[in-house]
């Protein structure tokens, strides 16, 4: 799938880690590690064009002009599975602020149910990385985008480990500006909204609640 606002990773390490994460025999400790590693690599790509400004710095030898980020950056994981991305990406970008959105898919009709929202003021002052390992029907993603737009976010970059083509299409059609960074675009959804081949339920695998 080619779309100007969609970046699908093309890196052997990401592909290798994803294959290990997909394996049903991979248990939670390694699964968490793999999700975090890929999340950090995707965040690296998603922040490649962050706005910068010149910043004077004095080294032990002299003063020179370096570069600093021009705007505050905010991470917003969608609970629960987004927690698997949050800490590893915060280690990559320790100056970022973090908001949280609690959403789950109602099993009967796959519609998102919101249960928690805590966003810092920075969401309206600079880029936002919206974090969720799984983009399936796109219901949770579009609901989260609506909350962020209402809070004043203008530059939103959605970061996902695995996406279904249906979810990506829904996201980019719903929101004319969002950009999407994914580790892999899988084949399709099954009839109960799971990604094929996918990796199963990311939240359950991260937190051992299978
Ligand atoms: C999963 C996943 C996404 C959502 C994706 O969350 O983490 O948030 O499903 O599906 P969608 O694109 O069809 O909305 P889930 O509802 O299982 O909640 P959990 O993370 O709390 O387990
Ligand atoms: N949520 C998941 O965790 N996995 C899927 O395949 C779809 C939604």
């Amino acid at each position: 799938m080619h779309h100007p606002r969609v970046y699908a990773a093309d890196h052997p390490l990401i592909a290798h880690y994803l294959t290990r994460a997909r394996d049903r025999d991979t248990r939670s400790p390694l699964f968490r590690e793999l999700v975090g590693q890929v999340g950090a690599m995707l965040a690296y790509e998603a922040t490649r064009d962050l706005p910068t400004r010149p910043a004077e710095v004095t080294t032990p030898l002299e003063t020179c002009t370096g570069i600093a980020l021009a705007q505050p950056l905010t991470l917003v994981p969608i609970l629960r599975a987004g927690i698997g991305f949050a800490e590893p990406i915060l280690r990559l970008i320790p100056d970022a602020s973090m908001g949280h959105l609690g959403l789950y898919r109602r099993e009967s009709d796959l519609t998102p149910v919101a249960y928690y929202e805590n966003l810092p003021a920075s969401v309206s002052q600079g880029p936002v990385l919206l974090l969720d390992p799984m983009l399936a029907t796109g219901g949770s993603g579009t609901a989260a985008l609506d909350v962020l737009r209402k809070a004043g976010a203008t530059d939103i970059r959605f970061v996902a480990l695995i996406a279904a083509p249906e979810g990506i299409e829904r996201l980019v059609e719903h929101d004319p500006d969002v950009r999407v960074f994914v580790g892999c675009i899988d084949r399709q959804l099954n009839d109960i909204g799971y990604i094929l081949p996918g990796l199963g339920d990311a939240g359950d695998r991260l937190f051992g609640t299978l």
Side-chain angles (χ1 to χ4, degrees), residues 79-81 103-105 132 134-140 201:
L79 311 181
R80 287 181 301 165
L103 288 169
Y104 71 87
R105 295 198 304 176
D132 193 336
M134 307 306 276
L135 172 56
T137 65
S140 307
D201 187 306

